[in-house]
Amino acid sequence: MSMKRNLLAAVAALSMLAGASAEAKTLKWGAGREIASLDPYSFGETFTLSVLNHVYEGLVRYTGELKIEPALAERWETVSPTVWRFHLRKGVKFHNGNAFTADDVIASLERVTHPTSPLKGNLPAYKSATKVDDFTVDIEVNGPYPLLLNDLTNIYILDKEWMVANDALLPTDSGKGVENYATRNTNGTGPFKIESRRADAQTVFVVNKDWWDKPVHNIDRIEFTPITSSATRVAAMLSGEIDFTNLAPLQDLPRLTASPDVKVLQSNELRTVYMVFNMKDKLVESDVTDKNPFKNKRVRQALYQAIDADAVQKRVMRGLSRTTGSLVAPAIPGYVPDLDKRPPFDLDGAKKLLAEAGYPNGFSFLMNCNNDSLVNEEELCQAVASMWSRAGLKPNLSIAPRAQQTPKRVKGEFDVITFGWATEPMIDTYSLLVQVLHSKSGSAGVFNWGGWGDPRIDELTDKGGVELDPKKRIPMMTEALKIAKDEIIFIPMHQQPMAWAIRSGSVDVMVQSPDNKPRLWLAKVK
Amino acid sequence: MLAFLVKRLAEAVGVMLAVALIAFTIFRFVGDPVELMLNEQASQQQRDELRERLGLNRSVPEQYLAFVANAARGDFGISYRNQQDVFPLIAERFPATFELVIVATVLSLLIGLPLGVYTAVHRKSFLAQALQFLSVLGVSLPSFAVGILLILVFSVTLGWLPAFGRGEVVKLGGWSTGLLTKSGLTALILPAVTLSFFQVTLVMRLVRAEMLEVMRADFIRFARARGLSEPAVQFRHALRNCLMPVITVTGLQIGNLIAFALVTETVFQWPGMGLLFVQAVSFVDIPVMAGYLMVVSAVFVAVNTLVDMTYALVDPRLRVDTVGGGHGR
């Protein structure tokens, strides 16, 4: 019988909870997918990190306009070209009441850069951290490195005492099958605390009344529910079961817009999409076997001019993408408007260029595309392939999920691929230059799968990578981008569309930043 | 009985080993988890180290043997994406799937049995013909289409039922149940109906076919001759003799329903094992995929064994120890 009583008590408690939360200002967030874990160091995924940023904070953070501003550090200076000194904010408390001090920063940095840490790559220049006093920390980097602050926006600070008490000082290790207390429990300094979590069902955040910052938001409670099926997510938005989604499916935007209660927030994200060439000595799958036609700039120019960018924008991207001639989005340091000009669409010109290059009848090549990675990637590939066919080329399409295509891409088994780069998490042109355009050497050029590049770009990237003065550094980045543009190393296509949706009856203010990260501490509900 | 059980247990172990082997052979074609685990900033060296640490450089037989050796100790590794022990991760989601499947099964019997009897008895009536026609539709409509249709009607247009999730759940020891709260029950309706859609038509057609056969039997004629009422003849005499195959098929279908639940769970964001598996596939989360396949094959084997045992209990002729594993109906 006591079982039954317990049940009744549980039901009563639940209904009381439900009653209490009805009073509170609640935001029901229907997300596109579940976060990987509650441990901010467990899975290097932008979305998971952006959700956990409501609970955990870094030393610095981005504003809604993507400017870096102080967070847990009040100010900083460089002591030497390789040592940065951070002065920590005093009086900050973790959710469990522990005080935030230099020890927490050092323990967190050691945890995130530990050899088994899945997030090690997010702090590539880190060498060591030393405590100067309780509220001052020195971070030493491997060499002069201008982008430490950008990296630190994504490195959240955990409480050392809490980690020690729960044996969570080390990160998880997939290799050895070691899990961690922090995977299922949190203790941060952020604007919200986690009240409860049922994976794949609902994670509830409640406001942290002792937050150090003056809140702009007025939210008491966030109910975060992943809804992986797009059709269901749209239905939930229309039926009012969710107030906000950070992933409104593009094909359903007309339906959402047609509903009087729903407002669609549509703009373009930082991710720029390119067509990328295999630039090695031979093509992988082609009727030209003695050389690589793509090494001839006229051929690349022909492929560029054969693409009708307006048609792609209108038909494939439903008028939602931003056609670009630049390899980085306007919000990214290093961009200048001059880079954005595209050569005009000119099919006859393209045919002429191909004939001049010695391919009057075109040639065949292998085009490798994903169907689950970029926005409308499959349709984009089919459209571009048919435009190239009109110019007399013979592209062979291979379309499959990312998990299957990526290994082939990494091995260089392609002639042309679609490729997207957002410069996350650093949000700077340097990320594209050092990771993608730089020739493969040491830790640079990890994504240089096709052997493209230019010695001048390498040189500018290396120089810019150790230049601490932004006034000198950013023009170097711009110049490298200009060389890439003049040489047509890649064919830029567009910045991808992103779309959120809110119920206008329940959400008052929602800040949509170009990095596509929800920052609900800047939002207001009605 | 004991010998029978021991034999079944040995068979079960064989099945599980075979499933694991097939799974590991297939995983080679699913893709590369490392690319998805590290973000854009990781260096080539870090990628290589991680691949080495995960043992992905080893040959398939080696990876398989390591998996079996660990699984024998009850260790399925940790999820690449969630960084949690696989077994608890799946166990946590088992109740949701189980409740959904059981409710769908009960629904299919409650609806399918009477419909089957009706279509058998009134073969010529218009309604029976219409039901026959609809059952063809039921078999051929994919469950995601049924799910989305139901959501459009009952959540978006009418606003009666939730479109996603499981509502409030109550913890009973290690089990979470949604059957004790109003929101849990309302959330269960649409996914259970979606999942049982195919099952209803199956039960109905099976009952109809069996009934038609039994109704021609002599004992039914005698029952009628004794002056029993028509419903009594239909339900007490005829239907009782149809139930055996229906129970068998329903039992065996539970395994299939768990597999089918994968689609329904994805449509309704039902936090069960199927949803976990679908997400694991898109992230090439090998430990979770392997763990899920093990659990589902274990359920299949257990259900099959239970059905065999029920048979042996109900029908003395089958107690001779010559029962094979297969069921040729």
Side-chain angles (χ1 to χ4, degrees):
Chain A
M1 222 53 285
S2 71
M3 171 81 154
K4 197 164 168 185
R5 259 212 311 279
N6 284 344
L7 267 181
L8 284 172
V11 173
L14 277 173
S15 53
M16 268 167 60
L17 266 180
S21 63
E23 304 294 308
K25 281 195 184 292
T26 302
L27 179 76
K28 297 194 292 258
W29 173 4
R33 64 162 176 262
E34 180 56 286
I35 53 174
S37 123
L38 292 181
D39 183 343
Y41 304 167
S42 72
F43 195 73
E45 177 191 67
T46 307
F47 176 66
T48 295
L49 286 172
S50 73
V51 174
L52 290 175
N53 206 173
H54 294 83
V55 179
Y56 288 107
E57 296 167 299
L59 294 176
V60 290
R61 71 181 178 198
Y62 281 117
T63 63
E65 292 73 47
L66 301 189
K67 298 275 173 289
I68 291 174
E69 66 173 5
L72 291 179
E74 278 178 317
R75 54 197 169 84
W76 49 86
E77 69 259 7
T78 44
V79 184
S80 78
T82 54
V83 178
W84 295 61
R85 176 159 295 172
F86 289 88
H87 301 275
L88 307 181
R89 193 175 296 278
K90 296 187 171 91
V92 175
K93 290 257 185 294
F94 283 96
H95 294 158
N96 68 352
N98 287 353
F100 159 75
T101 63
D103 293 333
D104 302 316
V105 175
I106 288 173
S108 300
L109 290 171
E110 279 172 2
R111 187 174 189 261
V112 80
T113 54
H114 187 272
T116 67
S117 161
L119 231 73
K120 198 172 181 308
N122 279 19
L123 205 53
Y126 176 85
K127 191 171 170 188
S128 66
T130 33
K131 176 175 167 177
V132 179
D133 61 43
D134 268 358
F135 292 97
T136 316
V137 172
D138 281 353
I139 297 182
E140 193 181 350
V141 283
N142 291 326
Y145 180 67
L147 295 155
L148 181 66
L149 293 177
N150 303 48
D151 288 344
L152 285 174
T153 56
N154 259 319
I155 305 295
Y156 304 148
I157 305 302
L158 281 66
D159 177 18
K160 184 182 179 181
E161 270 180 84
W162 178 80
M163 289 195 283
V164 170
N166 296 301
D167 194 19
L169 268 176
L170 292 180
T172 49
D173 181 355
S174 315
K176 289 215 167 52
V178 181
E179 51 166 5
N180 198 299
Y181 182 80
T183 307
R184 289 179 304 274
N185 301 276
T186 55
N187 180 29
T189 55
F192 295 93
K193 302 185 242 198
I194 296 224
E195 181 189 80
S196 67
R197 170 166 164 84
R198 284 186 292 127
D200 287 336
Q202 193 177 63
T203 305
V204 179
F205 300 75
V206 291
V207 66
N208 171 17
K209 292 220 165 46
D210 306 321
W211 192 35
W212 57 268
D213 198 4
K214 194 174 171 310
V216 181
H217 75 90
N218 63 349
I219 303 171
D220 296 319
R221 186 182 167 88
I222 302 169
E223 291 174 1
F224 171 94
T225 305
I227 307 176
T228 37
S229 152
S230 337
T232 311
R233 202 161 55 247
V234 171
M237 197 79 216
L238 293 171
S239 68
E241 288 170 84
I242 55 175
D243 304 323
F244 161 59
T245 179
N246 62 311
L247 189 61
L250 294 186
Q251 67 272 17
D252 294 318
L253 291 190
R255 278 198 60 198
L256 287 168
T257 315
S259 160
D261 312 324
V262 176
K263 190 163 157 232
V264 171
L265 308 171
Q266 203 271 312
S267 82
N268 298 98
E269 49 168 278
L270 296 175
R271 191 171 297 275
T272 305
V273 176
Y274 333 110
M275 292 289 164
V276 171
F277 304 107
N278 167 5
M279 294 291 277
K280 298 187 173 146
D281 292 336
K282 284 206 180 87
L283 290 186
V284 174
E285 217 176 273
S286 172
D287 48 14
V288 179
T289 49
D290 55 336
K291 55 180 185 244
N292 180 346
F294 293 142
K295 289 206 164 197
N296 184 331
K297 188 177 155 184
R298 278 192 221 147
V299 173
R300 300 199 297 275
Q301 176 92 26
L303 266 73
Y304 199 161
Q305 300 215 294
I307 296 176
D308 182 353
D310 283 346
V312 169
Q313 200 267 354
K314 281 193 186 68
R315 286 208 287 276
V316 176
M317 306 308 287
R318 297 166 207 263
L320 300 169
S321 61
R322 178 185 177 279
T323 302
T324 183
S326 159
L327 297 183
V328 294
I332 292 174
Y335 169 92
V336 291
D338 272 356
L339 294 169
D340 232 340
K341 294 195 182 71
R342 290 178 70 95
F345 163 60
D346 178 1
L347 193 58
D348 295 332
K351 286 180 182 157
K352 221 168 87 193
L353 281 167
L354 281 174
E356 281 170 23
Y359 305 101
N361 304 321
F363 56 93
S364 67
F365 53 89
L366 173 70
M367 218 171 144
N368 167 313
C369 301
N370 303 326
N371 57 11
D372 60 347
S373 164
L374 301 170
V375 177
N376 293 0
E377 186 169 0
E378 203 169 333
E379 297 88 333
L380 171 68
C381 272
Q382 284 161 343
V384 170
S386 74
M387 287 167 186
W388 283 342
S389 304
R390 255 171 256 154
L393 295 154
K394 298 181 266 301
N396 296 317
L397 267 178
S398 140
I399 299 180
R402 172 167 74 143
Q404 285 174 35
Q405 297 291 63
T406 307
K408 292 182 195 156
R409 293 173 165 214
V410 173
K411 284 189 213 129
E413 293 168 8
F414 63 86
D415 296 328
V416 173
I417 52 174
T418 40
F419 189 85
W421 198 259
T423 76
E424 288 275 4
M426 122 183 1
I427 310 194
D428 191 279
T429 297
Y430 181 70
S431 147
L432 173 76
L433 295 176
V434 74
Q435 293 273 42
V436 185
L437 285 169
H438 197 290
S439 56
K440 238 189 182 28
S441 64
S443 62
V446 174
F447 287 82
N448 192 333
W449 296 330
W452 51 74
D454 187 301
R456 290 170 297 165
I457 294 181
D458 289 8
E459 196 187 332
L460 283 162
T461 307
D462 297 343
K463 275 209 336 231
V466 295
E467 176 57 62
L468 297 179
D469 179 1
K471 285 190 189 60
K472 287 188 194 142
R473 187 179 73 86
I474 291 171
M476 289 183 200
M477 303 291 110
T478 307
E479 196 183 336
L481 285 178
K482 191 173 175 326
I483 294 166
K485 182 183 170 64
D486 293 342
E487 291 300 321
I488 316 182
I489 291 183
F490 296 167
I491 297 178
M493 294 298 304
H494 54 244
Q495 271 86 41
Q496 296 202 121
M498 62 170 172
W500 297 1
I502 52 174
R503 301 270 308 177
S504 24
S506 38
V507 182
D508 203 8
V509 179
M510 182 60 71
V511 177
Q512 187 186 32
S513 311
D515 64 356
N516 208 356
K517 288 183 179 176
R519 292 182 170 82
L520 298 180
W521 58 89
L522 303 173
K524 276 193 163 68
V525 291
K526 282 177 182 162
Chain B
M1 206 65 187
L2 188 69
F4 169 78
L5 271 181
V6 169
K7 194 161 151 246
R8 287 320 293 267
L9 206 64
E11 278 173 11
V13 170
V15 168
M16 308 276 278
L17 286 172
V19 167
L21 183 61
I22 294 166
F24 266 83
T25 320
I26 292 172
F27 290 158
R28 301 196 58 183
F29 304 103
V30 177
D32 183 3
V34 171
E35 292 302 329
L36 300 162
M37 287 167 79
L38 292 171
N39 69 3
E40 296 181 346
Q41 237 169 309
S43 67
Q44 191 57 48
Q45 191 197 353
Q46 282 161 353
R47 283 161 210 279
D48 297 342
E49 279 170 6
L50 180 62
R51 191 165 285 121
E52 189 58 46
R53 282 218 318 273
L54 296 176
L56 295 168
N57 291 337
R58 293 183 294 173
S59 65
V60 170
E62 266 186 282
Q63 288 187 48
Y64 169 66
L65 286 176
F67 173 79
V68 171
N70 287 333
R73 292 201 309 266
D75 174 13
F76 289 87
I78 67 172
S79 154
Y80 291 165
R81 175 167 149 81
N82 309 87
Q83 303 281 318
Q84 288 185 37
D85 268 335
V86 167
F87 202 73
L89 200 67
I90 295 174
E92 200 179 285
R93 286 165 178 75
F94 183 76
T97 300
F98 189 74
E99 273 179 11
L100 177 62
V101 166
I102 293 302
V103 171
T105 305
V106 171
L107 266 184
S108 66
L109 290 176
L110 284 180
I111 303 168
L113 280 174
L115 287 185
V117 173
Y118 179 86
T119 47
V121 176
H122 306 277
R123 252 183 321 170
K124 300 276 188 292
S125 79
F126 171 76
L127 186 59
Q129 300 278 359
L131 280 169
Q132 278 286 83
F133 175 72
L134 279 177
S135 75
V136 176
L137 265 184
V139 172
S140 49
L141 262 183
S143 49
F144 70 85
V146 176
I148 295 292
L149 265 169
L150 289 175
I151 289 176
L152 283 180
V153 175
F154 292 98
S155 309
V156 179
T157 313
L158 298 169
W160 291 351
L161 297 167
F164 66 90
R166 205 181 163 200
E168 294 285 353
V169 292
V170 178
K171 277 267 186 220
L172 301 173
W175 191 271
S176 67
T177 178
L179 300 175
L180 299 166
T181 60
K182 186 165 167 282
S183 69
L185 285 171
T186 50
L188 185 58
I189 296 171
L190 290 187
V193 168
T194 305
L195 188 57
S196 64
F197 209 75
F198 172 83
Q199 194 76 350
V200 168
T201 58
L202 188 80
V203 171
M204 173 184 133
R205 293 168 146 259
L206 190 68
V207 170
R208 179 177 179 273
E210 293 286 335
M211 280 290 281
L212 288 177
E213 204 162 321
V214 172
M215 292 299 267
R216 286 201 297 269
D218 286 345
F219 71 90
I220 297 290
R221 258 188 235 153
F222 286 123
R224 286 202 179 119
R226 284 199 321 226
L228 292 175
S229 69
E230 196 56 22
V233 172
Q234 281 163 22
F235 285 89
R236 284 200 34 212
H237 292 70
L239 186 61
R240 270 173 82 172
N241 281 289
C242 298
L243 281 185
M244 201 63 214
V246 173
I247 288 170
T248 313
V249 169
T250 305
L252 293 178
Q253 276 286 333
I254 285 183
N256 280 342
L257 280 182
I258 286 180
F260 264 119
L262 200 134
V263 177
T264 309
E265 284 179 7
T266 310
V267 171
F268 290 97
Q269 190 65 33
W270 188 261
M273 300 190 299
L275 186 66
L276 181 74
F277 179 72
V278 169
Q279 291 174 11
V281 170
S282 54
F283 282 93
V284 200
D285 197 341
I286 292 173
V288 172
M289 291 194 279
Y292 172 85
L293 291 171
M294 295 277 90
V295 168
V296 169
S297 52
V299 170
F300 258 98
V301 170
V303 167
N304 272 323
T305 311
L306 277 174
V307 169
D308 280 355
M309 281 167 56
T310 322
Y311 253 69
L313 288 173
V314 172
D315 191 341
R317 285 171 307 179
L318 296 170
R319 273 182 221 170
V320 195
D321 210 357
T322 51
V323 184
H327 283 269
R329 260 212 73 250

